[in-house]
Amino acid sequence: MSGARARWSFPQLLVTLGLLLIAVVFFFPMIWMVMNSFKTNQAIFRTPFALPESIDFDRWIKAWEVGHIGQYALNSAIVTGVSVAAILVIAASAAFAFSRYRFPGRSLALGLFALGLLLPLQSYFIAQSTMFRQVGILDTRWALIIPYIAMGLPLAVYLLKVYLDALPEELFEAAHIDGASDLRVFGSLAMPLLRPGLATVAIFSALACWNEFLLALLYIQDDRLKTIPTGLLAFSSRYVTDYSLLFSALSIITIPMVVIYVVFNRQIVEGITAGSVK
Amino acid sequence: MRTHHRGRAVIAALSVAALAVASSVSGAVAQDRTLRIAMGSPGEAGIRVWEAIGAQFEAANPGVTVDIEFMDDDLYQTIGLPQLLASPNAPDIYFEWTGSRMAQRAADGYAADLTEAVASGPLAGLLDDELFAAATLDGKIVLFPHTADVTNVLWYNVPLFAEHGLTPPTTFEELLAVCDAFVAADIIPIATGNKDLWAAGNWLSHMASRVVGEDVYDATLAAGGPFNTPEWEQAFGYIAQLREHSCVNESANAIADNEGAQLFFQGSAAMHPIGSWLVSWAIDEAPDLEFDFVNLPAMPEGSAGDQGSAIGVETGYMVNANSQVQDLAVEFLALMNSPENVKAYVAAEIVPLARSVADAGVDGRSLRLGELLAGAPAVVLPPDTGYDLEMANALYAAEAAVLGGQATPAAALAALDQQLAR
Amino acid sequence: MRPDRRVAPWLFLAPGLVVFSVAVLLPMVLTVGFSFTEWNGFGAMTFVGLDNYVRAFHDTFLRASFLHVIVYIAATLVLEVLVGLCLAGLVSMRRGRLWFRVAIFTPVMLPMVVVAVLWAFVYNPDFGLLNGALEAMGLAGLQRIWLGDPSVALLAISVVSGWVYAGFYMMIFYAAFRQVPSDIIEAARLDGAGEWSIFRRVKVPMIRGAVGVAVLLCVTGGFQGFDLFFVMTNGGPYGSTEIPTTLLVRTVFRHADVGYGSAMAVVLTAVVVTCGLAYAQLQVRRTRGAAR
């Protein structure tokens, strides 16, 4: 790791300064957002760049209370948690089938999931909403969980299959010779070995579920079941002119995600880029 | 190594979270005697009244929960209500405008028949009979009227007008002159937040109805055209004049209707053409602002319509035909119209149609708004509630294009006809 | 008893196949079916053959929406992929600079709706950050009603998209640059090549595969854009930011024209899938060419 340690040189310093400038400009909208959350409506209008006169979390507390942000976050956590858990188990099991067995119909089934990688949401959500209406699950959490699982599966299956394919054949043969059942091989051998792959899948699936908007907008109207994206939209149209309250709500939603990201940045970056590139 | 631990921690945390919440997954809330009500947001003052009535109802009916959904107006009108009605937690009572929207709900099977309840049930005697004309389909009452909204008057900032020695315009020519004066004083003459197109659309359609005449307006909108006629071109020509005189804020396209109201509330704009609900909004948004209204200024010579016409619509609440608690719903509608609650609405500047409103002490602007509608020689319906929504949106878009200088009146009307022709 | 070897794989596959078929494949087939009908979502469904497709072919609004999304994609190719590539070049010039990579990637974490609401404020004509900053820098002449002016609204939305994803593509390219053998770069440096020419002539050509993936992601993702458009402009001003998805959501859920909306969805799907397949074809040809 030491070979490339370059000396500080003037052009390098310039580049670093340039990057610093870019980062500051880049972050400015978020800094401005937090600053405005401590200002009154009038101060936001009159002196958009002034620092707030005092740091007072009253507006944040009000945004949390009247905006039901806690409820929205809980809903997002429930929908995301259940969807991700299901994606992990179902996708690992399907990947296990593709990786460890050769059977008639395999390439057809594999092809179906490959199609899933290409299909945009727009190709099915119209009929999906009519189906959900017919079976009466609109405005329940299932209306989000079921499509989120289905949308997350193709990529998860593919990634986990790649991980499984890379495992040495002998491991599995040894287990079979020891008389382990297929289910046991899957549960006690494959799943633990898949852990890094599962972590990657968990990260990008969780983020996708947490941030999904279009289906949440169309399928959930009940305020008590809204997730963060649609909840924030409801909040912003109800308090559209109470700007400091809105900036407070935005800050409350944004800051925890930024903190989580800073703590786990390496895993998250790896998870998200792996999730989209492979 | 550290990465591994963290990865494991993420998975552990996720699975714990998943387990902890799995039990609460099914979002369908218990079905025991909940009365669900859905409407577009009536503003903060209005929300307080609704929530108080909900609490009264729960106190009077032990075991019943009242659950009121206040949705963003535009969302409610478009995606929200239809999806809500199709969901398992469908509302038992929902807000609706009389006209084609109400008929659509009935055609889709969501309208309970309220005729009995009005004739001899809990709703008897609360309203004057003639109010039910607009709420009746095929001889059945399907909506219980609540308010009559004037959807457009011209609000103005009283001190700003006084400061510049101006009087509120009563004719279109005066309006243009007032605009010129405010532009010269570097004040926005008219604020409108037209991102969703209906805010200015409703105002400009009222203007157009004055020019083409109520009959032509109704016939054209009901038939979905043709708009490319000399009358409509004349009407759209006046919109172009508003543009030429820089009457409207430049940001009109970029901001929502309530942001447009904010420009008016903040004193940045002198006038604001919008409906009667502005009074109720102002209670929280601009408690100190002194503002008043005039009806839409009379259009120039050569206009075919009645220059005293008002634009407005009767609105009310429908009971869902699929509701399991229709009796409760009817009881709730009756409670809404009790003399005390009518007073509470009036205090929030929402004026119900109930007979007891006469004793509720309505005064000032709200009283005159009611008189404006009741006394208007002609009442036209707003395009988006009285007629086909898709046609209304196309009309609004054409008006916005002329107001924004994107198209000449003739071009906008030709494109509108072409769009509606298919 | 061990399950039959022929049955076992299907048992493992069953949950995934069932969920995927019921929630994606079946509704996709139904959507294609709907596209041959006239239906308002409630009443009777009328078979109309190819009428909806004929209508789509002549629909100037649909055509305009595709044009807008293509302009948007072109802009995001520059603002996301090209900017990401340049940033990756800058950060990979020397080790370290982790702080920068971490910082620029941050917006990817945020829900697009949050980003959209925040940026609607940045662009706000009355107190927005952008107009305020321009004024503070003495550039008041450049102030615009960013989301209300049809000549800049689409670009303004593209910039937000760039703000979110430039860091994402930077990470992809950064990872790819690290795979470039350092002796090749050292050799070029010894030949007297400057950093810029090393970047252009050595490093970028070496990561062509990653660039290809990025372009594909950007193009297919662009066609599916919705959140920013719906929240920031909802298609306006004057329809200048109407894209296929906002148009079809309006057609289906606002105008209750399910049949025609489905036809739009099928057209959009065909475009996206074609782009994906064309790319896959290209990759296959390239790997074959490389193997030869």
Side-chain angles (χ1 to χ4, degrees):
Chain A
M1 293 287 131
S2 60
R5 188 179 296 151
R7 272 182 305 117
W8 280 103
S9 59
F10 182 68
Q12 287 298 338
L13 194 67
L14 217 61
V15 170
T16 303
L17 282 178
L19 291 178
L20 196 65
L21 185 72
I22 294 173
V24 168
V25 170
F26 194 83
F27 255 82
F28 213 80
M30 283 194 262
I31 297 165
W32 179 72
M33 164 186 84
V34 177
M35 252 166 48
N36 277 345
S37 76
F38 298 119
K39 290 182 177 180
T40 62
N41 252 10
Q42 279 183 337
I44 290 172
F45 266 90
R46 306 261 156 82
T47 52
F49 287 109
L51 286 171
E53 285 173 7
S54 64
I55 304 292
D56 183 347
F57 285 92
D58 272 8
R59 305 299 288 170
W60 288 41
I61 293 165
K62 187 177 177 208
W64 177 266
E65 281 169 356
V66 303
H68 313 150
I69 294 175
Q71 183 66 46
Y72 300 146
L74 179 69
N75 293 334
S76 276
I78 293 171
V79 169
T80 303
V82 175
S83 306
V84 171
I87 289 172
L88 292 180
V89 174
I90 297 175
S93 136
F96 184 74
F98 285 128
S99 184
R100 310 271 21 123
Y101 300 89
R102 294 293 173 270
F103 53 93
R106 178 177 178 274
S107 41
L108 179 69
L110 208 50
L112 280 184
F113 284 114
L115 184 69
L117 286 174
L118 277 176
L119 282 180
L121 181 62
Q122 285 85 342
S123 65
Y124 51 83
F125 78 89
I126 297 173
Q128 197 179 51
S129 77
T130 14
M131 281 168 63
F132 285 1
R133 192 175 68 213
Q134 299 286 339
V135 294
I137 59 168
L138 279 185
D139 249 335
T140 69
R141 296 203 173 99
W142 294 114
L144 297 184
I145 291 171
I146 293 170
Y148 288 178
I149 296 172
M151 282 153 62
L153 276 180
L155 191 58
V157 169
Y158 261 78
L159 251 154
L160 295 176
K161 179 179 170 297
V162 170
Y163 273 93
L164 276 174
D165 286 346
L167 295 177
E169 185 70 28
E170 299 80 43
L171 275 176
F172 292 94
E173 277 164 12
H176 273 299
I177 291 164
D178 289 347
S181 70
D182 291 27
L183 197 61
R184 221 182 123 71
V185 171
F186 170 67
S188 321
L189 185 62
M191 282 300 261
L193 289 171
L194 263 181
R195 227 177 268 161
L198 292 174
T200 303
V201 171
I203 287 169
F204 71 72
S205 313
L207 208 66
C209 297
W210 190 266
N211 295 344
E212 201 283 330
F213 174 62
L214 177 53
L215 298 186
L217 174 76
L218 298 176
Y219 295 172
I220 303 290
Q221 309 301 331
D222 187 336
D223 198 59
R224 287 160 311 173
L225 296 176
K226 278 181 181 155
T227 51
I228 283 179
T230 47
L232 177 75
L233 195 67
F235 182 92
S236 76
S237 41
R238 178 163 164 186
Y239 296 101
V240 73
T241 52
D242 194 340
Y243 299 108
S244 67
L245 200 65
L246 262 169
F247 279 113
S248 301
L250 284 172
S251 305
I252 293 173
I253 294 169
T254 305
I255 289 172
M257 299 212 62
V258 172
V259 171
I260 292 175
Y261 164 67
V262 169
V263 174
F264 295 106
N265 72 75
R266 178 172 295 184
Q267 289 79 7
I268 290 173
V269 168
E270 271 170 19
I272 293 171
T273 44
S276 49
V277 175
K278 284 191 178 146
Chain B
M1 252 355 250
R2 270 177 56 214
T3 9
H4 253 100
H5 274 294
R6 282 207 188 133
R8 218 173 286 166
V10 170
I11 295 195
L14 272 176
S15 31
V16 168
L19 279 178
V21 296
S23 53
S24 55
V25 150
S26 173
V29 187
Q31 295 288 319
D32 56 321
R33 307 276 281 176
T34 299
L35 182 68
R36 295 194 168 78
I37 303 165
M39 66 188 76
S41 173
E44 293 309 302
I47 287 175
R48 286 193 289 271
V49 179
W50 282 102
E51 285 177 343
I53 297 175
Q56 288 169 29
F57 194 77
E58 286 176 353
N61 297 275
V64 174
T65 314
V66 176
D67 182 14
I68 312 177
E69 174 87 25
F70 305 104
M71 207 179 273
D72 168 53
D73 265 331
D74 192 55
L75 205 60
Y76 181 82
Q77 190 184 355
T78 55
I79 300 170
L81 180 62
Q83 292 290 88
L84 212 50
L85 286 169
S87 84
N89 293 334
D92 304 293
I93 300 176
Y94 56 96
F95 171 88
E96 196 50 280
W97 292 267
T98 56
S100 70
R101 293 181 52 92
M102 181 184 83
Q104 185 63 49
R105 297 296 159 244
D108 292 343
Y110 292 120
D113 183 356
L114 301 175
T115 317
E116 275 285 318
V118 172
S120 53
L123 299 177
L126 292 169
L127 303 182
D128 289 335
D129 286 344
E130 69 263 22
L131 290 173
F132 291 107
T136 305
L137 284 175
D138 304 329
K140 291 180 190 145
I141 296 172
V142 294
L143 176 143
F144 195 67
H146 186 235
T147 59
D149 287 337
V150 184
T151 58
N152 179 63
V153 290
L154 187 63
W155 298 97
Y156 64 95
N157 183 320
V158 175
L160 264 183
F161 268 74
E163 209 176 291
H164 293 84
L166 298 166
T167 48
T170 55
T171 65
F172 188 72
E173 293 85 348
E174 285 175 26
L175 177 67
L176 293 181
V178 166
C179 287
D180 292 342
F182 279 118
V183 168
D186 210 15
I187 291 170
I188 300 169
I190 300 175
T192 182
N194 201 35
K195 183 181 160 198
D196 296 317
L197 298 178
W198 64 264
N202 185 64
W203 163 42
L204 300 174
S205 299
H206 186 197
M207 243 174 68
S209 77
R210 290 266 186 91
V211 180
V212 302
E214 294 79 29
D215 298 346
V216 173
Y217 173 86
D218 183 61
T220 315
L221 268 65
F227 283 93
N228 199 4
T229 63
E231 296 102 307
W232 281 94
E233 196 175 333
Q234 186 192 355
F236 271 45
Y238 294 122
I239 301 176
Q241 289 188 24
L242 291 172
R243 161 87 190 166
E244 286 151 21
H245 289 257
S246 307
C247 290
V248 169
N249 54 310
E250 278 183 69
S251 60
N253 294 314
I255 61 178
D257 63 308
N258 23 13
E259 290 178 280
Q262 195 68 16
L263 285 178
F264 180 68
F265 288 153
Q266 295 272 336
S268 311
M271 292 173 278
H272 186 45
I274 203 82
S276 48
W277 52 86
L278 193 76
V279 193
S280 186
W281 281 9
I283 293 175
D284 281 358
E285 302 274 351
D288 304 324
L289 181 70
E290 197 188 330
F291 67 104
D292 207 336
F293 74 90
V294 288
N295 195 3
L296 182 76
M299 299 310 289
E301 199 78 10
S303 296
D306 191 316
Q307 298 309 310
S309 77
I311 188 166
V313 61
E314 193 172 299
T315 65
Y317 291 83
M318 299 178 76
V319 173
N320 189 344
N322 304 325
S323 166
Q324 302 298 309
V325 288
Q326 292 187 22
D327 293 349
L328 284 179
V330 168
E331 295 283 350
F332 189 91
L333 291 177
L335 181 65
M336 274 168 57
N337 289 283
S338 77
E340 294 74 37
N341 286 327
V342 166
K343 274 198 184 115
Y345 280 118
V346 169
E349 303 284 4
I350 295 167
V351 183
L353 293 163
R355 279 179 178 154
S356 66
V357 80
D359 314 319
V362 183
D363 59 2
R365 295 169 298 207
S366 288
L367 183 69
R368 285 187 288 120
L369 276 166
E371 287 168 357
L372 172 70
L373 196 59
V379 176
V380 293
L381 293 175
D384 58 350
T385 61
Y387 304 90
D388 177 59
L389 184 59
E390 191 171 353
M391 183 280 307
N393 278 321
L395 172 62
Y396 289 169
E399 289 167 346
V402 176
L403 185 66
Q406 288 292 304
T408 63
L413 290 163
L416 175 59
D417 269 347
Q418 208 171 15
Q419 187 187 350
L420 296 173
R422 45 142 204 92
Chain C
M1 241 351 254
R2 171 176 300 187
D4 190 310
R5 292 286 289 174
R6 276 171 304 172
V7 182
W10 290 105
L11 291 180
F12 281 111
L13 265 183
L17 277 184
V18 168
V19 174
F20 186 67
S21 309
V22 169
V24 172
L25 293 179
L26 178 61
M28 189 191 73
V29 172
L30 285 176
T31 304
V32 176
F34 289 172
S35 73
F36 300 112
T37 70
E38 185 170 333
W39 189 39
N40 68 6
F42 287 91
M45 209 188 262
T46 326
F47 179 78
V48 295
L50 289 173
D51 281 9
N52 287 324
Y53 290 94
V54 174
R55 184 177 154 195
F57 187 77
H58 294 290
D59 186 339
T60 51
F61 289 89
L62 184 63
R63 209 174 301 157
S65 77
F66 270 98
L67 189 68
H68 297 151
V69 83
I70 288 167
V71 171
Y72 168 72
I73 288 170
T76 53
L77 279 174
V78 174
L79 294 165
E80 296 174 9
V81 180
L82 189 62
V83 169
L85 188 65
C86 293
L87 291 177
L90 286 176
V91 287
S92 64
M93 271 162 68
R94 49 173 291 141
R95 295 212 169 267
R97 292 181 177 155
L98 175 69
W99 58 271
F100 184 77
R101 280 178 282 138
V102 170
I104 301 294
F105 192 80
T106 312
V108 178
M109 290 291 291
L110 304 178
M112 271 303 201
V113 174
V114 172
V115 172
V117 172
L118 173 59
W119 275 84
F121 285 142
V122 170
Y123 288 137
N124 186 292
D126 296 312
F127 60 85
L129 177 61
L130 184 54
N131 278 350
L134 287 173
E135 178 143 3
M137 291 189 293
L139 297 171
L142 294 179
Q143 289 181 340
R144 292 280 181 286
I145 312 286
W146 299 100
L147 297 177
D149 181 342
S151 59
V152 291
L154 191 56
L155 193 66
I157 294 178
S158 311
V159 166
V160 181
S161 195
W163 183 74
V164 174
Y165 285 113
F168 169 78
Y169 289 108
M170 175 192 72
M171 283 296 188
I172 291 182
F173 295 134
Y174 177 77
F177 279 143
R178 303 222 359 198
Q179 308 293 318
V180 175
S182 56
D183 45 341
I184 296 183
I185 297 171
E186 284 306 317
R189 199 165 281 149
L190 287 177
D191 286 348
E195 289 294 338
W196 170 246
S197 89
I198 290 176
F199 175 71
R200 261 205 59 194
R201 302 192 191 285
V202 182
K203 288 164 91 179
V204 172
M206 296 282 292
I207 63 157
R208 227 181 281 146
V211 175
V213 170
V215 168
L216 171 79
L217 283 175
C218 189
V219 171
T220 55
F223 275 116
Q224 298 174 56
F226 175 73
D227 304 9
L228 290 179
F229 291 84
F230 181 80
V231 177
M232 294 177 76
T233 58
N234 199 7
Y238 314 119
S240 63
T241 61
E242 188 85 285
I243 54 165
T245 308
T246 53
L247 187 62
L248 91 82
V249 165
R250 185 168 307 127
T251 305
V252 172
F253 293 93
R254 195 169 176 145
H255 302 153
D257 199 345
V258 179
Y260 186 46
S262 300
M264 288 183 189
V266 171
V267 172
L268 181 63
T269 305
V271 171
V272 174
V273 171
T274 308
C275 288
L277 290 178
Y279 171 78
Q281 199 63 39
L282 212 67
Q283 287 299 85
V284 168
R285 207 174 296 157
R286 182 176 297 155
T287 32
R288 275 208 201 116
R292 208 174 287 146

